Amino acid sequence: MALTFWFDFTSSYSYLAAMRVEREADAARVPLVWQPFLLGPIFAEAGSGGSPNLAAPAKEAYMWRDIARRAAARGLPFTKPEIFPQRSVAPARATLSLPGPERPAFVRAVFAEVFGRGRNMADEAVLADAARAAGLEPERIAAGAADPDNRAALFAAVEEARRIGVFGAPSFVTSDGEIFWGDDRLADALAWERTGSLPAADLPPPTTANA
Amino acid sequence: MALTFWFDFTSSYSYLAAMRVEREADAARVPLVWQPFLLGPIFAEAGSGGSPNLAAPAKEAYMWRDIARRAAARGLPFTKPEIFPQRSVAPARATLSLPGPERPAFVRAVFAEVFGRGRNMADEAVLADAARAAGLEPERIAAGAADPDNRAALFAAVEEARRIGVFGAPSFVTSDGEIFWGDDRLADALAWERTGSLPAADLPPPTTANA
């Protein structure tokens, strides 16, 4: 029994989720699986040719504003990356090369480079800095990113995402197969994993006008 | 000073928002403006040709599942409309014909017909039923929907949405021009309207693993 956290390193909202998901899951006593994948092939299959957040200038402007103000509310650094979206295969493969307990610190370190400092994860020096920040040897991360086994594992992850209906990131998938899409659905996902349903909403009472 | 609630009657997440926005705004002591508009022309300009929620089968399936489980948690009836999306010009024009205080009950009544009972708002009998449920004369609603002044007002609303950067629905726009998109951003929008910023996030403390 665990909640699976599906993320793509180039997903801006995956940054917000990655930086809090472990402490939220720990607080809820829900085991967590960190599962990198790639949105690119999934968007390509949908025929949209890219992130729906980039479908219109107003939507992209909103996304950056929304990320910035939410990051500020959480005390997270935020710098809009110079390059966006970025090629995320190398850190995704490197993550898959790590045993579960080593993933969270490395994943957070990569996200911090990209969305905290605005750097490009396709740059080997950036991945090396992330490795060092996570207490890992840069050579080990570079080797993990290059290993054909991890290429195959990443391909399999994309296929699995498609099979279970994951179409965006971050997505949280419960043990019973329920999908919760978006950083703002994390609390719901944790509640569902614990209880198999959503808690009743805490709504204010209707006013007389709410006839 | 007021929060403006931008909605399209054919937007599924606008249903969730419409049924709670007044009581949440009242509880926060934030005045509310109910502003119908049309997503169609905005999606057309973005070149997407329709709702991003319908861009892929997995995304549409998710939307209906997400609406159903959130409606259940709020004690709201939900029936997937047989026709979706629907032509929403008639109820939008009719809403614009009503003075502010008469809008909420009518808007909720239309949404209840469409997403509570699965009916088609383009059917005059459905609008008449919604009018009666809101304590309004069906003839008045039909006349409001047909009035050229309201056609012009709806056109102007779409232009205004475009001008201020509204690209989806529901959107909540604060007095200082901040946009919050999505039913799940209502609490943030109300907080911003009251204080001009988001409250600091209430995060659990990092565990030792969150180095």
Side-chain angles (χ1 to χ4, degrees), chain A residues 3-14:
Chain A
L3 187 68
T4 303
F5 168 42
W6 291 83
F7 63 94
D8 184 329
F9 281 104
T10 192
S11 151
S12 52
Y13 286 100
S14 291

Side-chain angles (χ1 to χ4, degrees), chain B residues 16-193:
Chain B
L16 294 184
M19 304 314 266
R20 71 180 180 122
V21 64
E22 188 170 51
R23 57 171 82 180
E24 296 283 3
D26 285 351
R29 301 181 186 280
V30 168
L32 194 63
V33 174
W34 293 65
Q35 180 63 63
F37 75 120
L38 301 178
L39 286 169
I42 286 174
F43 289 156
E45 190 186 34
S48 60
S51 166
N53 286 322
L54 305 181
K59 200 165 181 181
E60 181 178 3
Y62 174 81
M63 176 186 72
W64 294 119
R65 176 67 183 145
D66 191 46
I67 298 282
R69 68 193 176 199
R70 289 180 89 80
R74 296 182 191 175
L76 281 179
F78 170 67
T79 305
K80 180 181 164 183
E82 259 190 70
I83 297 172
F84 185 85
Q86 295 182 6
R87 208 170 134 71
S88 54
V89 287
R93 289 180 191 160
T95 302
L96 289 167
S97 77
L98 297 172
E102 287 186 313
R103 291 184 185 186
F106 175 68
V107 171
R108 282 191 293 264
V110 174
F111 273 116
E113 291 291 344
V114 176
F115 293 99
R117 300 185 187 91
R119 300 175 76 193
N120 184 1
M121 69 184 98
D123 178 346
E124 284 177 25
V126 172
L127 273 201
D129 285 347
R132 277 185 287 265
L136 301 170
E137 288 183 7
E139 296 73 18
R140 187 177 159 212
I141 290 300
D147 187 331
D149 282 357
N150 300 324
R151 181 191 300 249
L154 184 55
F155 187 85
V158 173
E159 284 309 300
E160 174 69 0
R162 210 190 306 263
R163 189 185 67 78
I164 65 177
V166 166
F167 57 88
S171 287
F172 308 100
V173 182
T174 61
S175 303
D176 62 354
E178 204 78 17
I179 298 170
F180 292 87
W181 171 50
D183 170 65
D184 41 25
R185 288 294 197 280
L186 175 56
D188 282 357
L190 290 168
W192 194 285
E193 180 65 19

Side-chain angles (χ1 to χ4, degrees), chain A residues 23-24 26 59 62 65-66 69-70 73 108 167 178-181 184-185 188 200-201 204 207 209-210, chain B residues 23-24 26 62 65-66 69-70 73 108 167 178-181 184-185 188 192 200-201 204 207 209-210:
Chain A
R23 57 171 82 181
E24 297 283 2
D26 285 351
K59 201 165 180 181
Y62 174 81
R65 176 67 184 145
D66 191 46
R69 69 193 176 198
R70 289 179 89 80
R108 282 191 294 264
F167 58 87
E178 205 77 17
I179 298 170
F180 293 86
W181 172 49
D184 41 25
R185 288 294 197 278
D188 282 358
T207 52
N210 275 273
Chain B
R23 57 171 82 180
E24 296 283 3
D26 285 351
Y62 174 81
R65 176 67 183 145
D66 191 46
R69 68 193 176 199
R70 289 180 89 80
R108 282 191 293 264
F167 57 88
E178 204 78 17
I179 298 170
F180 292 87
W181 171 50
D184 41 25
R185 288 294 197 280
D188 282 357
W192 194 285
T207 53
N210 276 274

Side-chain angles (χ1 to χ4, degrees), chain A residues 23-43:
Chain A
R23 57 171 82 181
E24 297 283 2
D26 285 351
R29 300 181 187 281
V30 168
L32 194 64
V33 174
W34 293 66
Q35 180 63 63
F37 75 120
L38 301 178
L39 287 168
I42 286 173
F43 290 155

Side-chain angles (χ1 to χ4, degrees), chain A residues 9 86-98 105-114 117 119-146:
Chain A
F9 281 104
Q86 296 182 6
R87 209 171 133 71
S88 54
V89 287
R93 289 178 191 162
T95 302
L96 289 167
S97 77
L98 297 172
F106 175 67
V107 171
R108 282 191 294 264
V110 174
F111 273 116
E113 291 291 344
V114 176
R117 301 186 187 91
R119 299 175 77 192
N120 184 1
M121 70 184 97
D123 178 347
E124 284 176 26
V126 172
L127 274 201
D129 285 347
R132 276 184 288 265
L136 301 170
E137 287 183 8
E139 296 72 19
R140 186 177 161 213
I141 290 300

